[in-house]
Amino acid sequence: MSFLERVDQGIRQSAVWRSLFRNPYPNDERSRAYAVMNNVFLHLHPVRVRQHAVKFAYTFCLGGLSFFLFLVLTVTGVYLMFFYAPSANMAYTNILQIQTEVPFGLLTRNVHRWAAHLMVFFVFLHMMRVFYHGAYKPPREFNWVVGVVLLFLTIMLSFTGYLLPWDQIAYWAITIGTNMAGYAPLFNTPSKFILLGGLEVGQNTLLRFYVLHIMVFPLLAAIFLAVHFWRIRKDGGISGPL
Amino acid sequence: MAEQQTAPGHRTVQPVDPARRTEIDKQRVPMSARPYRLLALVKQDAVVRVQKEPDDTVMTWPHLLAIEFLAAVLVSVFILLMGLFVNAPLEDLANPNVTPEVAKAPWYFLGLQELLAYFHPTVAGALTPIFVLVGAALIPYVDRGNLLATRPSDRKTAVLLFTLFCGLGLVLTFIGIFFRGPGYAFALPWVTGMHFSL
Ligand code: HEM
């Protein structure tokens, strides 16, 4: 036995490893069924899925990839949070520091930015895929509604994040965006005031958007994602075939 | 599915206080007398049904997990390369006193901003987004024509309306991104350059 094989065996036979994974790596159908059923992450899936549903050209993996990007954004976002203070005096400096001083800071910020745009884009495409397959029809009506809520949350996550760098792009984009909300009939002044925490974009806005961005919307999204995935299975799995 | 339970022999089980036992409890088989555990409830008709539908399913592991993994890897490589070679935009520090040449909302709101150029702000900025979201949520409850028709060719009206709507949004967003310059006036990108950041 080579050295590497002995290390491999040593790890796999250790008490720690065997407490983590009760069974050896599943190679046959039966143990793979068990693995999918018993692993907390894998059991999002049923043990077997209908053939057409695993074809790339049916879902284009768009829902799954939206979720994957949500996870990427959570991880990169948490890293950025260590170096960012939501203060009108500090935020911009913090972004500059992230880009120049923080290890992998620039890369993390870039990935966070591009993944965010990509997620909004994929969620739109996912919605179109679902529509063209008529997958909102019974029994999936309610999951479509959950989806619309997720679309709203995704856009709001992106929008609230847009302000955080506190540069000219951010400031004026949010000014335009929130001005629109200011024209809501009956609620014009209150809705704008509640969003901004004042009459124009300022320190209160930054703090509000920050809390919404890192806490409120991610939590809400996680809850609605859980319902969304649960409902897919309770509604009988992926729709189709066409 | 039955599973052998390896009960540790030395553990003693205290019987439940008789005063707390209900009718249902009395009919239950005690766990210790049952060498299996309940894994699933099966509907009656599922058991007696003789004629079985043809099985069109495949194993999640490997068939679904493999494709999910591959898709995740490809997207990861893509955003990593983007992150390595294209920097996220960052301009000067926010300054309420310096209005930029043109202020544009993020791209997913640009369709709305484009509408602002034609309609009263209440219509463009408030009523439209509310209508779009509420309208989208109502689709399954409005489209009740033929509930079994899922093929696009069997539901031409729905597909046509939705496509027109998406196309309209796309065109408005495109104009907002490419054809609006200083002061949000019409401009040609190959003449005045791009006025857009992601
Ligand atoms: C954060 C956003 C979202 C995530 C992460 C997500 C995730 C998923 C996933 C993983 C699936 C499984 C099938 C597939 O990948 O296509 C799915 C199915 C579905 N989604 Fe979403 N989704 C999101 C937003 C939406 C939106 C905006 C809608 C519609 C307005 C929607 C409606 C549905 C419906 C109706 C299904 C069932 C489709 C079928 O059975 O063919 N979802 N979603």
Side-chain angles (χ1 to χ4, degrees):
Chain A
M1 226 180 353
S2 78
F3 175 69
L4 277 180
E5 276 169 343
R6 265 182 296 147
V7 172
D8 181 55
Q9 286 300 311
I11 293 176
R12 280 173 203 275
Q13 281 161 17
S14 68
V16 174
W17 182 274
R18 281 184 296 147
S19 70
L20 230 120
F21 304 102
R22 293 175 193 278
N23 301 305
Y25 183 85
N27 275 316
D28 58 292
E29 213 165 79
R30 199 181 121 85
S31 44
R32 285 177 173 176
Y34 263 113
V36 172
M37 194 158 43
N38 292 336
N39 181 290
V40 65
F41 301 110
L42 295 184
H43 99 288
L44 265 178
H45 293 307
V47 169
R48 302 183 68 89
V49 279
R50 292 177 58 209
Q51 207 170 4
H52 71 273
V54 297
K55 285 216 188 81
F56 175 73
Y58 192 73
T59 63
F60 299 99
C61 289
L62 286 167
L65 286 177
S66 306
F67 181 54
F68 177 68
L69 288 170
F70 180 76
L71 297 179
V72 169
L73 287 161
T74 309
V75 173
T76 49
V78 167
Y79 187 66
L80 293 173
M81 274 176 71
F82 285 115
F83 312 104
Y84 176 89
S87 126
N89 295 326
M90 289 305 297
Y92 185 74
T93 319
N94 285 163
I95 299 286
L96 291 177
Q97 285 166 341
I98 286 173
Q99 297 193 150
T100 51
E101 291 164 28
V102 173
F104 298 106
L106 180 61
L107 179 66
T108 312
R109 175 170 183 244
N110 291 346
V111 167
H112 194 77
R113 185 83 163 204
W114 303 135
H117 283 311
L118 201 60
M119 180 174 169
V120 178
F121 187 55
F122 275 9
V123 172
F124 272 125
L125 291 182
H126 170 60
M127 178 172 174
M128 293 173 71
R129 186 299 274 176
V130 170
F131 183 89
Y132 285 120
H133 285 173
Y136 56 84
K137 297 196 169 194
R140 299 188 176 77
E141 307 106 304
F142 185 66
N143 217 15
W144 171 272
V145 179
V146 174
V148 174
V149 175
L150 282 171
L151 173 71
F152 174 73
L153 288 173
T154 308
I155 289 178
M156 288 318 281
L157 270 165
S158 174
F159 185 63
T160 48
Y162 214 80
L163 179 65
L164 303 186
W166 203 247
D167 64 342
Q168 280 290 73
I169 310 176
Y171 186 90
W172 291 99
I174 301 307
T175 301
I176 295 280
T178 48
N179 268 345
M180 293 189 204
Y183 287 107
L186 303 180
F187 300 102
N188 40 19
T189 318
S191 68
K192 193 174 163 189
F193 201 82
I194 288 171
L195 266 175
L196 297 184
L199 289 172
E200 57 180 47
V201 177
Q203 169 62 58
N204 285 344
T205 323
L206 183 56
L207 185 55
R208 259 165 220 222
F209 274 43
Y210 177 75
V211 173
L212 291 174
H213 184 74
I214 61 116
M215 202 71 201
V216 179
F217 290 139
L219 270 181
L220 285 176
I223 293 171
F224 279 93
L225 282 172
V227 176
H228 197 59
F229 297 157
W230 173 258
R231 285 298 293 231
I232 292 172
R233 295 197 48 182
K234 295 296 142 181
D235 293 342
I238 302 300
S239 64
L242 279 183
Chain B
M1 219 179 282
E3 190 184 273
Q4 287 296 325
Q5 207 164 43
T6 48
H10 57 274
R11 219 178 270 162
T12 49
V13 180
Q14 295 297 321
V16 177
D17 175 5
R20 297 181 60 184
R21 278 170 67 93
T22 63
E23 268 313 305
I24 292 177
D25 286 337
K26 284 175 197 154
Q27 291 171 12
R28 282 184 64 222
V29 185
M31 272 305 278
S32 49
R34 236 187 353 182
Y36 55 86
R37 61 197 171 102
L38 188 64
L39 286 182
L41 287 174
V42 184
K43 271 197 211 136
Q44 174 92 34
D45 63 338
V47 180
V48 285
R49 188 171 55 207
V50 212
Q51 193 191 351
K52 221 171 143 240
E53 281 164 32
D55 183 22
D56 65 342
T57 62
V58 295
M59 289 290 290
T60 294
W61 185 335
H63 300 287
L64 179 54
L65 295 187
I67 198 172
E68 283 180 344
F69 183 75
L70 189 71
V73 168
L74 289 180
V75 167
S76 306
V77 169
F78 176 72
I79 51 178
L80 260 175
L81 288 178
M82 283 288 289
L84 281 172
F85 294 111
V86 191
N87 283 337
L90 188 70
E91 279 180 13
D92 295 337
L93 174 68
N95 187 346
N97 302 318
V98 178
T99 331
E101 265 191 311
V102 53
K104 288 188 183 178
W107 61 269
Y108 38 82
F109 286 155
L110 268 186
L112 293 177
Q113 191 173 354
E114 185 60 25
L115 285 182
L116 271 180
Y118 313 113
F119 298 102
H120 187 273
T122 308
V123 176
L127 294 182
T128 311
I130 294 172
F131 169 79
V132 168
L133 279 180
V134 175
L138 286 179
I139 288 178
Y141 305 98
V142 174
D143 178 14
R144 304 299 280 190
N146 181 357
L147 293 180
L148 296 178
T150 51
R151 228 179 257 255
S153 53
D154 295 339
R155 30 197 279 277
K156 294 209 176 75
T157 323
V159 165
L160 184 73
L161 286 177
F162 187 76
T163 309
L164 279 179
F165 186 79
C166 291
L168 186 68
L170 206 67
V171 169
L172 288 176
T173 309
F174 246 73
I175 298 178
I177 292 178
F178 294 103
F179 295 100
R180 291 292 189 173
Y184 208 75
F186 272 115
L188 298 173
W190 51 88
V191 179
T192 53
M194 282 292 288
H195 295 268
F196 178 68
S197 54
L198 271 171

